[in-house]
Amino acid sequence: MTTTIPALGTRTAEGSALQAVLLDMDGTLVDTEGFWWDVEVEVFGALGHTLDETWRHVVVGGPMSRSAGFLIEATGADITLAELTVLLNDGFEERIGRALPLMPGAARLLAELATHGVPTALVSASHRRIIDRVLTGLGPQHFALTIAGDEVERTKPHPDPYLLAAAGLGADPTRCAVIEDTATGVAAAEAAGCHVVAVPSVAPIAPAVRRTVVASLEEVDLPFLRGLLVL
């Protein structure tokens, strides 16, 4: 996809230095955080284990290696991480094949960013096979590039995915706005030096320096994002 990217240090709007918008996927653009938990409950149920609801806050938003590894250790299930990863991805893919609910405001925001030519990237801890399936519903034309969790050596909460996305768009991370729904994703974006808009999905997230918390993407538009980087 060909995208016009502002040169570093230039303003993309009067008084704003916003160069790119980087968006998480699960729980941010698509209402699928619950899908992952449902699949985890189902898979471990078939293995003879019941998941504690409180574990949901531990596994949300992180890479599959971390969440699946935690559940194996917590339950003592007789399954390898590689085997569990396949089962979880298969179950999730089956669910999004039946329905892919977008978060309120997601379609409108993506269309607005595209209309104004804002460089945009999808940055997810999900694996490439999952991202590619979700993109059919989100519209791949909305993203100049996508970063998958199994394509980086260190995924969220490390800053690597967001640093890679910013570099791929030719943007300064400190001039990027990131939209995330979990503490894990927020930590990754902040470690990369980005401005963060948190839209909590499962667990609360508190406001902080360079972090704005909103209830829904319906509160987020291009003027709002540009306002985060007023010079």
Side-chain angles (χ1 to χ4, degrees), residues 112-145:
E112 182 180 7
L113 295 174
T115 296
H116 291 274
V118 178
T120 305
L122 185 69
V123 183
S124 176
S126 289
H127 289 186
R128 170 55 57 186
R129 60 178 283 196
I130 298 300
I131 288 179
D132 287 345
R133 283 295 301 273
V134 172
L135 279 173
T136 62
L138 280 176
Q141 72 277 9
H142 290 123
F143 305 98
L145 65 90

Side-chain angles (χ1 to χ4, degrees), residues 169-185:
L169 295 177
D172 179 344
T174 66
R175 293 291 181 256
C176 294
V178 169
I179 304 178
E180 273 280 1
D181 73 303
T182 67
T184 299

Side-chain angles (χ1 to χ4, degrees), residues 18 24 27 33 35 43-44 73 75 80 88-89 96 104-105 109 111 124 130 155 157 166 168-169 184 219-220 222:
L18 179 68
D24 174 54
E33 288 292 9
F35 285 14
V43 168
F44 277 90
E73 183 175 355
T75 61
T80 67
L88 294 178
N89 275 328
I96 62 175
L109 177 59
S124 176
I130 298 300
T155 188
L169 295 177
T184 299
E219 299 179 36
V220 181
L222 186 51

Side-chain angles (χ1 to χ4, degrees), residues 18-214:
L18 179 68
Q19 292 180 345
V21 177
L22 317 176
L23 302 107
D24 174 54
M25 186 176 76
D26 293 301
T28 298
L29 292 175
V30 288
D31 192 7
T32 50
E33 288 292 9
F35 285 14
W36 283 113
W37 180 250
D38 290 345
V39 171
E40 288 159 350
V41 168
E42 181 179 287
V43 168
F44 277 90
L47 295 171
H49 298 276
T50 300
L51 300 188
D52 190 315
E53 182 69 24
T54 62
W55 295 344
R56 183 172 184 173
H57 299 290
V58 178
V59 301
V60 68
M64 185 172 292
S65 59
R66 187 195 75 183
S67 57
F70 168 82
L71 292 174
I72 290 173
E73 183 175 355
T75 61
D78 184 19
I79 189 170
T80 67
L81 181 60
E83 292 169 336
L84 180 57
T85 295
V86 171
L87 291 177
L88 294 178
N89 275 328
D90 285 348
F92 184 81
E93 209 167 341
E94 189 274 331
R95 275 170 170 74
I96 62 175
R98 285 186 268 137
L100 183 63
L102 300 188
M103 297 298 287
R108 186 265 314 150
L109 177 59
L110 291 176
E112 182 180 7
L113 295 174
T115 296
H116 291 274
V118 178
T120 305
L122 185 69
V123 183
S124 176
S126 289
H127 289 186
R128 170 55 57 186
R129 60 178 283 196
I130 298 300
I131 288 179
D132 287 345
R133 283 295 301 273
V134 172
L135 279 173
T136 62
L138 280 176
Q141 72 277 9
H142 290 123
F143 305 98
L145 65 90
T146 61
I147 305 292
D150 57 341
E151 295 173 342
V152 292
E153 185 174 345
R154 301 189 310 169
T155 188
K156 304 173 187 178
H158 298 286
D160 306 35
Y162 283 114
L163 292 173
L164 183 62
L169 295 177
D172 179 344
T174 66
R175 293 291 181 256
C176 294
V178 169
I179 304 178
E180 273 280 1
D181 73 303
T182 67
T184 299
V186 167
E190 291 181 341
C194 305
H195 292 255
V196 178
V197 178
V199 192
S201 62
V202 175
I205 298 174
V209 177
R210 296 170 67 89
R211 182 197 310 166
T212 303
V213 180
V214 298

